[in-house]
Amino acid sequence: MSAKFKNILVTGGAGYVGSVLVPKLLKQDYHVKVIDWYIYGDDVLDSVKEDPRLTQVKGDIRDVDLLKKEIPGTDAIIHLACISNDPSYELNPGLGKSVNYDAFFPLVEIAKRQKVKRFIFASSSSVYGVKAEPNVTEELPLEPLTDYSKYKALCEEHLLKSQAPGFVALILRPATVCGYSPRLRLDLTVNILTNHAVNHRKITVFGGEQKRPNIHIEDITDLYIKSLRYEDEVIAGKIYNAGYENHSVSEIAQLVKKTLGIDVEIVFKPTDDNRSYHISSDKIEKELKFRPAHTIEDAVRDLKNAFAKGLIKDPMNNIRYYNIKTMQSLNIK
Ligand SMILES: NC(=O)c1ccc[n+]([C@@H]2O[C@H](COP(=O)([O-])OP(=O)(O)OC[C@H]3O[C@@H](n4cnc5c(N)ncnc54)[C@H](O)[C@@H]3O)[C@@H](O)[C@H]2O)c1
């Protein structure tokens, strides 16, 4: 693997995943441009804001003129920008579709026209829906249960159709991400449970037997960086699941409690929503030799340290940690 590209555009680079990814890219000497709304804080990339290799563009990926201005000179795009969970999407489905689907077409077209060589798309393991098969591999048909997932699947389809010599497309389907980030999300399974355990000493589990696949934020960001370096023929038009620890929510709650080593009450309540997700990540391990180096326990410990250091201000109430609450507070059209 060699460092093939220099200029990387990260859409949504000021989000949960982006704000860990961008400093890592800079550390590896990439030149990085971020296009983001910065709705979760203008400060999330402050640790690297003086880096001359970083360009921060506050803007909307639906703005075609902005894309035409900012994309030229880009070698590779990592496309993260998204209304990135079901509740935020459902809050305003028109907005969700315009960002998550409609904007994808001009983005891909301009990228291709401007000779961007590689396009890495953050899809989601939720595209499968709920499967009975023990191993949910990339070959299984997609049965998305929500519009958020449906449009991820449709973007995948469009990207694969758009692939051409010199324009290499790679699709990653990450599991639920966990761990600390300067733009933290406390609305993701492991992070929710850890927050409640640390700050409430009580975790409420609805149901419990539903499975959730997970991936540590350090691993998923390492994977995006590695994705810039694989040879074209290895990844062109490929789709990979990226998730390692399929656990039930009840197991995750126990794991959180054990890792924190504090007195935490776990309360079980019934739920109608018994959707259970699990994925196999054998293909990415076999073909790309990608193995995770971090565990759920690492994520819990990282969050515990961040709480202890006061890095997470008012975790139960601050809306910046909750996508749905931030989206509710804004009137984005
Ligand atoms: N976090 C997870 O567990 C997870 C799992 C699977 C897939 N993904 C995918 O990974 C990507 C990143 O997820 P995340 O957790 O960092 O989400 P996030 O919500 O923290 O980040 C998304 C970023 O995109 C920006 N954005 C949204 N719409 C925009 C627009 N129209 N123009 C400019 N910026 C815009 C937001 O301001 C935000 O900073 C998303 O595409 C998400 O669907 C995330």
Side-chain angles (χ1 to χ4, degrees):
M1 279 201 305
S2 56
K4 291 167 76 84
F5 307 122
K6 184 173 157 200
N7 297 311
I8 315 301
L9 170 63
V10 185
T11 71
Y16 172 58
V17 172
S19 59
V20 172
L21 173 64
V22 168
K24 271 191 187 178
L25 284 165
L26 293 165
K27 213 168 182 179
Q28 301 201 15
D29 214 21
Y30 289 101
H31 290 227
V32 183
K33 184 179 282 183
V34 168
I35 300 181
D36 199 297
W37 274 336
Y38 288 82
I39 52 175
Y40 302 105
D42 283 336
D43 56 344
V44 294
L45 293 171
D46 269 8
S47 69
V48 287
K49 70 176 178 192
E50 304 299 343
D51 193 315
R53 295 163 303 178
L54 174 65
T55 308
Q56 301 196 62
V57 179
K58 193 171 184 172
D60 191 323
I61 57 152
R62 296 172 299 171
D63 179 347
V64 172
D65 291 334
L66 181 83
L67 298 181
K68 284 183 183 158
K69 178 167 168 262
E70 300 296 346
I71 289 180
T74 300
D75 296 316
I77 294 179
I78 302 174
H79 180 46
L80 305 177
C82 187
I83 306 295
S84 42
N85 64 8
D86 291 330
S88 310
Y89 185 101
E90 281 149 23
L91 189 68
N92 184 345
L95 174 72
K97 178 171 176 285
S98 74
V99 172
N100 294 8
Y101 185 59
D102 301 340
F104 194 71
F105 290 75
L107 177 65
V108 170
E109 193 203 313
I110 296 166
K112 236 172 122 171
R113 207 185 314 135
Q114 291 299 334
K115 310 245 177 303
V116 171
K117 296 175 207 66
R118 189 163 292 193
F119 193 107
I120 300 159
F121 175 49
S123 182
S124 166
S125 58
S126 64
V127 290
Y128 296 107
V130 174
K131 297 280 188 201
E133 287 83 350
N135 284 322
V136 178
T137 58
E138 292 80 349
E139 291 69 37
L140 289 184
L142 305 187
E143 296 171 286
L145 295 171
T146 63
D147 279 352
Y148 163 79
S149 309
K150 177 178 96 181
Y151 287 117
K152 285 284 189 195
L154 290 172
C155 286
E156 288 188 0
E157 209 177 289
H158 177 65
L159 184 59
L160 292 180
K161 273 194 216 138
S162 306
Q163 197 176 236
F167 183 69
V168 167
L170 171 66
I171 292 161
L172 298 173
R173 293 178 179 161
T176 304
V177 183
C178 56
Y180 179 73
S181 157
R183 188 270 122 162
L184 188 57
R185 286 183 63 181
L186 291 174
D187 58 2
L188 299 163
T189 315
V190 171
N191 297 4
I192 297 173
L193 298 180
T194 306
N195 182 28
H196 284 252
V198 171
N199 296 306
H200 255 176
R201 298 294 165 117
K202 181 174 168 181
I203 297 177
T204 305
V205 175
F206 293 90
E209 293 316 305
Q210 321 91 306
K211 281 193 168 167
R212 291 287 176 270
N214 301 278
I215 186 161
H216 195 289
I217 194 156
E218 294 298 334
D219 288 321
I220 191 69
T221 48
D222 286 346
L223 177 58
Y224 286 121
I225 295 178
K226 285 187 174 164
S227 300
L228 297 169
R229 298 184 181 160
Y230 297 117
E231 295 302 331
D232 287 356
E233 57 279 13
V234 175
I235 57 156
K238 293 283 186 70
I239 301 177
Y240 293 104
N241 293 340
Y244 293 87
E245 298 183 60
N246 292 298
H247 286 293
S248 69
V249 178
S250 164
E251 283 165 353
I252 299 173
Q254 300 292 350
L255 211 79
V256 167
K257 179 176 174 176
K258 189 162 162 235
T259 308
L260 291 172
I262 54 176
D263 195 17
V264 176
E265 185 190 359
I266 302 180
V267 179
F268 290 90
K269 290 203 172 152
T271 176
D272 293 338
D273 185 0
N274 284 306
R275 283 181 289 179
S276 189
Y277 301 98
H278 56 280
I279 53 168
S280 159
S281 297
D282 291 349
K283 182 180 170 191
I284 197 167
E285 182 172 354
K286 207 187 286 167
E287 295 187 8
L288 301 184
K289 313 280 176 282
F290 181 78
R291 285 183 62 87
H294 303 82
T295 61
I296 291 180
E297 287 90 331
D298 291 330
V300 173
R301 274 188 289 268
D302 295 346
L303 288 166
K304 181 186 177 188
N305 291 338
F307 283 122
K309 284 186 192 154
L311 296 176
I312 308 166
K313 312 264 184 259
D314 195 11
M316 288 294 176
N317 303 306
N318 191 335
I319 62 169
R320 71 185 283 174
Y321 304 128
Y322 302 90
N323 283 19
I324 178 75
K325 290 185 188 169
T326 299
M327 293 302 295
Q328 270 165 340
S329 75
L330 301 168
N331 190 20
I332 306 175
K333 299 271 182 247

